[in-house]
Amino acid sequence: MIPVLGFAQANVAVLGLGRSGLATARALRAGEATAVCWDDNPAARAVAEAEGFTCRDLHKQGAFDGIASLIVSPGIAHLYPSPNPVVRAALEAGVPVDNDIGLFFRSIATPEWDNFERLPRVVAVTGSNGKSTTVALLHHILSEAGKGVQMAGNIGRGVLDIDPPQDGDVVVLELSSYQTELARSLTPDVAIFTNLSPDHLDRHGGLGGYFAAKRRLFSEGGPDRAIIGVDEDEGLFLAGQMSMGQVDDRVIRVSSGRKLGGAGWNVFARKGFLSEYRKGRQAGSIDLRAMTGLPGAHNHQNACAAYAAARTLGLAPRMIEGALETYPGLPHRSQTIADEGGVRYVNDSKATNVDSAAKALSAFKKVRWICGGLEKDGGLAALSGNTGSVQKAYVIGREAAKFALQLDVETEVCSSMAVAVERAMADAQEGETVLLAPAAASFDQYDNFEQRGDDFIAEVTARLV
């Protein structure tokens, strides 16, 4: 646990008592603060009270009297589409609003660090797609190299729930736009921006607000190194904003699908090969084509970002290559679950938006595509031109028929996962891939994308036995 610094003997309100909220309350208590907790869910309050925390209805008049700060869980809106009433009350009372990420960065460094030979470092990863894979991949690389490393944030443990890092350790964080937008302190040593595609637009007041939330990790934090995917205009702009000139190697530009030129530090993947160039000269090269844990151009972009971070942390290209070869992949992200009779079965339930689904489709030559769910803002128009590998789509979800009408491929409305898997497996031929890449949220039928992916795995496995 990371004890929260700066609030000793103070009352700090905690709104939302899920994983991050409870971890925050514990870390505040460890830092000798008093956590005043609230969640609209009585069951969540009961869990907190069982641990000895005081719960106070923060909706009531005067609830913020004597409160030093309000700490908000990521899912709670603080601005768009409208502030949560408790957040509004705190702001009207002049109480600062923060989140666990802000507390982490203000508390991570302690006087003990003065005795370390090598200071711990924090790598923070944000972007629309590929964050989890990039974090898990970098964690795997550093672990294989014998480094002390922990991953936290949206993956692994809550940021305040990790162990205090020791001499030379690395903490790798996955940070969503919800987290970067509100955190009052953002000071990573290395910051990574993977890419940008429309997502969470209602929460951020549009695409510009969404990009601005992610940009704060760089503009507010001033990382020693910025690793930036430049395949979208926003990333290209961000790299330009962070760089002081063409040879400024504090910025590492990353791309998938094209060679990057110039005198700076570039890492790119093209035709399945990762290349590193510094000052116009090649410094490393890795063949990614046979690495089953990293299929497709989108995973090659993730590999480039993780490779660049590992290089800034002092690892040699050959060491990184060996670790990439043994990376098993993450559940629900281009996860191969079976290869039977020449047919490959891939679970990419995390492909919850159009951009990530398009990238998943491009990773395979002939696809039996299981898709559908709760459609996100912006519709499915961006899939047009990205479905050339699709032999047929098997559409699930409560509004499967409406979803299917928007696709430019042959479709079959299946509604349930069981029917979709049954039909796709019956149609699949040798050399094809049955791919779950929904291009939609899961909440119309499942609690989360993990549950949806587990259902796909169970249905496939049952029919292969």
Side-chain angles (χ1 to χ4, degrees), residues 327-378:
Y327 176 66
L330 271 178
H332 312 298
R333 298 162 178 86
S334 298
Q335 176 192 13
T336 297
I337 59 172
D339 198 328
E340 186 78 20
V343 178
R344 186 175 182 180
Y345 298 89
V346 177
N347 165 30
D348 203 340
S349 184
K350 186 60 173 67
T352 58
N353 59 44
V354 168
D355 184 67
S356 56
K359 289 176 179 176
L361 291 172
S362 70
F364 307 100
K365 293 182 179 180
K366 294 183 178 181
V367 176
R368 299 285 169 177
W369 180 28
I370 299 176
C371 59
L374 188 62
E375 190 178 326
K376 291 191 173 182
D377 290 344

Side-chain angles (χ1 to χ4, degrees), residues 40-126:
D40 290 340
N41 185 345
R45 297 199 301 270
V47 172
E49 288 171 339
E51 292 194 28
F53 293 111
T54 298
C55 289
R56 178 195 300 177
D57 189 345
L58 297 176
H59 295 273
K60 291 185 176 179
Q61 185 73 23
F64 285 97
D65 293 348
I67 296 294
S69 185
L70 171 65
I71 310 303
V72 180
S73 293
I76 297 172
H78 56 270
L79 185 56
Y80 300 115
S82 62
N84 178 279
V86 172
V87 175
R88 182 185 293 279
L91 295 172
E92 289 178 345
V95 173
V97 179
D98 203 350
N99 61 16
D100 61 334
I101 305 302
L103 297 182
F104 169 85
F105 278 112
R106 70 180 285 170
S107 305
I108 184 69
T110 65
E112 184 185 13
W113 287 25
D114 293 338
N115 301 318
F116 291 164
E117 290 186 10
R118 297 166 299 157
L119 292 179
R121 284 181 280 185
V122 177
V123 181
V125 183
T126 194

Side-chain angles (χ1 to χ4, degrees), residues 259-306:
K259 180 177 180 179
L260 297 177
W265 193 347
N266 300 316
V267 179
F268 58 88
R270 187 167 178 265
K271 296 182 178 179
F273 287 87
L274 181 154
S275 297
E276 175 191 5
Y277 277 77
R278 299 185 71 173
K279 297 180 180 179
R281 295 187 177 185
Q282 189 166 16
S285 178
I286 297 175
D287 185 351
L288 302 173
R289 292 173 298 177
M291 297 183 182
T292 57
L294 296 166
H298 61 305
N299 277 308
H300 293 174
Q301 183 188 53
N302 300 333
C304 287

